[in-house]
Amino acid sequence: MASPAKAVTSTLGADVQSGYVLSARNADRKQYPASLTKVMTLYITFDALEKGIITMDDLLPVSKHAARQPKSKLYLKEGSVITVRDAILALIVKSANDAAGLAPSEEEFAVMMTRFAKDLGLTDTTFKNASGLHNPEQVTSAKDMAILAIAMINHFPQYYPLFSTKMFKFNGKTYYSHNSILLYYKGAEGFKTGFV
């Protein structure tokens, strides 16, 4: 069982190319990741795209479990489908919880997420779901999130520009980014926002 997270500020700034740590505060302290969890969900999605397991145009079925996720969401209906591309944009822009848990079994996907995390060297991280909805055993640290962010940028540079997306359209509705820094600070890029 994971040790409990502490509600304190944690930061880590690092150079993306070298990994050199520029500044850190409580970087190893375990925290609840909230929507930062979706960065790992996206990392695994991009890995599957690169391996040819899925394509951007593949249709993902929406399960009862996914449709029942609380907001933020797209209000996907059980039995409907969403393309991989739209699910990615829903996670990046809207932080849509109902677009995160589309795997046949979220529990199995969380095990895969944790395995990917360990392979990347995320020693403080355990995942229990794909969305970041609160689970007391789902923890990470600023250090681990920095490692994941650097891995995302360096392993999938072809997909990294997606994180600058400020809006997308789905089923006739326009969704705007929750990340106000991305919206109002010219040149900003960013993975996720969120809190527990």
Side-chain angles (χ1 to χ4, degrees):
M1 180 174 167
S3 62
K6 306 291 184 191
V8 298
T9 300
S10 298
T11 64
L12 189 142
D15 179 79
V16 171
Q17 299 304 317
S18 67
Y20 179 77
V21 175
L22 303 169
S23 67
R25 178 180 178 208
N26 298 316
D28 293 313
R29 184 73 56 94
K30 290 191 177 179
Q31 306 276 11
Y32 301 121
S35 282
L36 289 171
T37 299
K38 294 183 176 86
V39 179
M40 180 55 82
T41 301
L42 289 162
Y43 185 95
I44 292 173
T45 302
F46 296 152
D47 183 70
L49 284 165
E50 282 305 286
K51 290 176 177 173
I53 297 168
I54 57 173
T55 71
M56 284 286 197
D57 296 319
D58 282 352
L59 298 176
L60 302 171
V62 179
S63 68
K64 180 188 290 188
H65 174 73
R68 287 183 173 176
Q69 295 302 301
K71 61 182 184 179
S72 176
K73 62 192 292 180
L74 297 178
Y75 294 92
L76 299 172
K77 304 293 185 196
E78 178 187 356
S80 65
V81 293
I82 184 172
T83 65
V84 170
R85 178 180 289 102
D86 283 340
I88 289 169
L89 291 173
L91 293 180
I92 290 172
V93 175
K94 176 68 175 162
S95 199
N97 293 322
D98 53 351
L102 295 174
S105 164
E106 191 170 22
E107 292 80 11
E108 289 178 26
F109 191 72
V111 170
M112 182 191 308
M113 292 170 72
T114 301
R115 188 173 68 244
F116 266 76
K118 301 310 177 196
D119 289 347
L120 288 170
L122 279 61
T123 57
D124 300 321
T125 300
T126 301
F127 291 109
K128 292 296 181 179
N129 62 54
S131 64
L133 290 169
H134 184 59
N135 182 311
E137 294 182 26
Q138 179 156 270
V139 293
T140 191
S141 66
K143 173 184 64 72
D144 280 6
M145 287 294 100
I147 292 169
L148 178 57
I150 290 169
M152 179 73 85
I153 294 166
N154 291 326
H155 296 173
F156 304 115
Q158 67 277 40
Y159 300 118
Y160 181 63
L162 292 171
F163 291 99
S164 296
T165 305
K166 296 175 181 162
M167 55 80 71
F168 87 110
K169 294 183 179 182
F170 180 76
N171 281 351
K173 187 172 180 181
T174 301
Y175 296 92
Y176 293 92
S177 176
H178 286 202
N179 189 341
S180 59
I181 295 172
L182 186 66
L183 291 175
Y184 301 113
Y185 188 87
K186 186 176 181 181
E189 303 162 339
F191 284 123
K192 289 304 307 165
T193 59
F195 63 92
V196 172

